[in-house]
Amino acid sequence: MGGTVPVTPATGAALRFFATAIAAKAVVEIGTGCGSSGIWLLRGMRPGGVLTSVDTEPEYHRMARKVFTQAGFAANQARLILGRSLDVLPRLSDGAYDLVFCDADPVAYPEYLTASIRLLRAGGIAVFNDALPRDAGPAEDGARELADMIRIDDRVVPLLLPIAGGLLAAIKK
């Protein structure tokens, strides 16, 4: 789909579950992709909630806007921000978000974890897609470093779900 792969149905169901479980009203998505994960997140969020999705590709935003509308979501339910996530995230408010979902370059996952912890309220959840390293390489090194960081960080409670390429979730204490 436009050079991006939709999240699996199992991953989507887990995202909707997390958003519903914490009654998410404000969610950040790092990596808009084709909009499939955004639909799952929006379906789990409280009415009136807003998904803030960041991506560098304008085509992904156009595609996501279209699929959000087709899925029945109002235009004001998704705020799409064009730019590098590591440039955009520092401009978002500290502690203002219920959930952060990261489906971007795993090499940057450690930096996204740091940003996520700052963005999340107490009880908020950070979720990382494709967090199970498969082979050797920079992406897998990023996933391993993320797992190590979450494992030793006493500010979070981690959970690794063996769904698709692995979902690593962490609740901020």
Side-chain angles (χ1 to χ4, degrees):
M1 295 185 70
T4 183
V5 178
V7 296
T8 66
T11 298
L15 292 174
R16 187 180 80 196
F17 176 85
F18 286 134
T20 301
I22 61 171
K25 190 162 177 112
V27 173
V28 173
E29 177 182 44
I30 302 168
T32 306
C34 62
S36 65
S37 54
I39 289 173
W40 285 101
L41 289 163
L42 285 162
R43 285 182 178 156
M45 294 169 65
R46 291 190 344 213
V50 175
L51 171 69
T52 299
S53 189
V54 183
D55 206 303
T56 58
E57 296 295 327
E59 181 59 30
Y60 293 169
H61 280 182
R62 281 191 287 281
M63 191 180 334
R65 180 71 65 203
K66 181 179 177 182
V67 299
F68 293 164
T69 300
Q70 289 173 343
F73 297 105
N76 66 352
Q77 287 182 269
R79 177 172 69 151
L80 303 178
I81 301 174
L82 188 64
R84 271 185 74 244
S85 295
L86 292 173
D87 296 332
V88 173
L89 297 175
R91 298 192 313 251
L92 301 181
S93 299
D94 294 2
Y97 296 90
D98 304 303
L99 192 146
V100 175
F101 173 58
C102 186
D103 189 9
D105 182 8
V107 172
Y109 276 8
E111 293 170 280
Y112 293 142
L113 174 63
T114 301
S116 296
I117 289 172
R118 181 187 62 78
L119 293 171
L120 289 170
R121 64 164 172 83
I125 303 173
V127 182
F128 293 84
N129 197 30
D130 293 326
L132 287 174
R134 290 179 279 256
D135 299 311
E140 287 72 18
D141 291 346
R144 278 189 197 86
E145 185 178 346
L146 169 70
D148 290 343
M149 288 172 67
I150 285 179
R151 189 180 69 252
I152 64 172
D153 192 328
D154 61 357
R155 298 173 295 173
V156 298
V157 175
L159 171 67
L160 178 61
L161 296 172
I163 296 171
L167 277 183
L168 183 55
I171 297 174
K172 182 178 176 181
K173 291 182 185 178

